[in-house]
Amino acid sequence: MNLASDLMLSAAGSPWWEKVFSFQDYGELIGLLWPSLVAGAVLGVVGGVVGVVVMARDMGFAVHGISELSFAGAAAALLMGMDVVTGSIIGSIIAALLLGLLGAGARERNAITGVLMPFGLGLGILFLALYEGRSANKFGLLTGQIVAVDEAKVTTMVVGAIVVLAGMAIIWRPLMFASTDPWVAAARGVPVRGLSVAFVVLLGLSVAMAIQVVGALLVLSLLITPAAAALQLTARPGKAVALSVTFALISVVGGILLALAGSLPVSPYVTTISFALWIGAKLVARRRAARGFTEVRRPAAAPAPAPSR
């Protein structure tokens, strides 16, 4: 049997795709794991809204730094037998406060993020190395674990989502003003520094919630990629938020539905779908730009000659 046959058939003679996807008893799985779908939908809405502001403030790198300390907090809670969600939130808030208070500008914020990332990742790996429990719990913190989402965690996520969305609604207009032109906003009396701290705290809560589904390593796929895809298609904040939420919901809920039928963690499905959406948005944006350029460069029709008398 050659290599191609080995890839097509497993040891029991089953096609390889049946090892990746198995829709046997799929309806029962959805009925049992409905909290994961609800949690994914909640995170899709939060990630879509917050991600637009993250892109507007050029804080994609900061999201990664917050996720690493959130991972360290979750790993510490796992080691001490505490609630992992609580530990994740504590780590995210600590990272967010450090970024908000110490990182006034983009350069300082990037420097602090570069310091926090290896520190948080090192602490998280240390705590996981000391943890003697199930290895699935360790792996789930990095890549997500949908079966670990129960009704209690869904309730926690819904409460957290309400807090984040309410906070974003309160500070939305001055925050977008400060994100677009911070100098003019400060001159007009907008509390730019206070808005920055408030937003990074809300961002920290969003990261802590996202880690429960997609894991610490791939949280960017939820808080960055959908918003980046939306901003390829429109520059209007309201429309960008609507598209970003739509893309995030498709990525997260679609990824969970595929993961329920597969043997892989949820994060590869979520990241693949979100990346495909970004590629599609990028192609549409390039096609629009090329069409607009062609229309601009198209020579105007020559005026008709005046009739001779």
Side-chain angles (χ1 to χ4, degrees), residues 10-300:
S10 64
S14 301
W16 65 270
W17 58 80
E18 291 187 3
K19 298 178 65 177
V20 180
F21 296 106
S22 177
F23 291 93
Q24 185 177 3
D25 300 326
Y26 189 68
E28 296 181 5
L29 283 175
I30 293 178
L32 291 173
L33 298 178
W34 65 266
S36 300
L37 292 172
V38 175
V42 169
L43 294 178
V45 175
V46 173
V49 174
V50 174
V52 173
V53 184
V54 169
M55 296 299 295
R57 297 178 66 85
D58 193 19
M59 293 183 63
F61 191 46
V63 173
H64 212 339
I66 294 175
S67 69
E68 301 297 355
L69 267 189
S70 181
F71 161 66
L78 185 66
L79 176 63
M80 294 183 291
M82 298 171 54
D83 182 42
V84 174
V85 177
T86 302
S88 179
I89 292 175
I90 292 174
S92 293
I93 296 300
I94 292 175
L97 290 175
L98 289 175
L99 286 173
L101 296 175
L102 302 180
R107 181 176 299 179
E108 292 87 354
R109 187 168 58 238
N110 289 337
I112 295 172
T113 303
V115 173
L116 290 178
M117 283 177 59
F119 175 68
L121 186 60
L123 279 180
I125 293 175
L126 172 63
F127 295 147
L128 291 186
L130 296 175
Y131 177 68
E132 298 180 353
R134 296 175 55 211
S135 59
N137 294 332
K138 302 179 182 180
F139 195 62
L141 291 180
L142 294 172
T143 60
Q145 191 174 9
I146 57 173
V147 296
V149 179
D150 53 17
E151 295 185 29
K153 288 185 178 180
V154 168
T155 302
T156 303
M157 289 182 183
V158 170
V159 173
I162 292 174
V163 172
V164 171
L165 294 177
M168 292 297 297
I170 293 172
I171 66 175
W172 179 263
R173 293 190 66 180
L175 179 63
M176 292 302 293
F177 183 24
S179 302
T180 304
D181 198 335
W183 298 106
V184 175
R188 294 190 177 183
V190 176
V192 176
R193 189 66 175 270
L195 288 172
S196 178
V197 174
F199 174 69
V200 293
V201 170
L202 295 176
L203 176 60
L205 289 175
S206 304
V207 170
M209 291 188 295
I211 284 179
Q212 307 307 312
V213 174
V214 296
L217 297 182
L218 301 172
V219 70
L220 296 178
S221 64
L222 183 59
L223 291 173
I224 300 296
T225 311
L231 291 172
Q232 292 289 329
L233 302 177
T234 182
R236 298 180 179 179
K239 190 175 180 180
V241 168
L243 286 174
S244 178
V245 169
T246 301
F247 293 157
L249 286 173
I250 293 173
S251 301
V252 180
V253 177
I256 291 175
L257 290 174
L258 290 176
L260 291 179
S263 58
L264 301 176
V266 65
S267 49
Y269 300 104
V270 175
T271 54
T272 301
I273 295 174
S274 61
F275 180 72
L277 290 172
W278 180 81
I279 289 292
K282 191 76 173 177
L283 293 176
V284 171
R286 286 191 176 185
R287 186 175 180 180
R288 287 180 179 177
R291 183 181 301 174
F293 180 76
T294 302
E295 292 176 354
V296 171
R297 292 294 300 273
R298 182 180 299 168

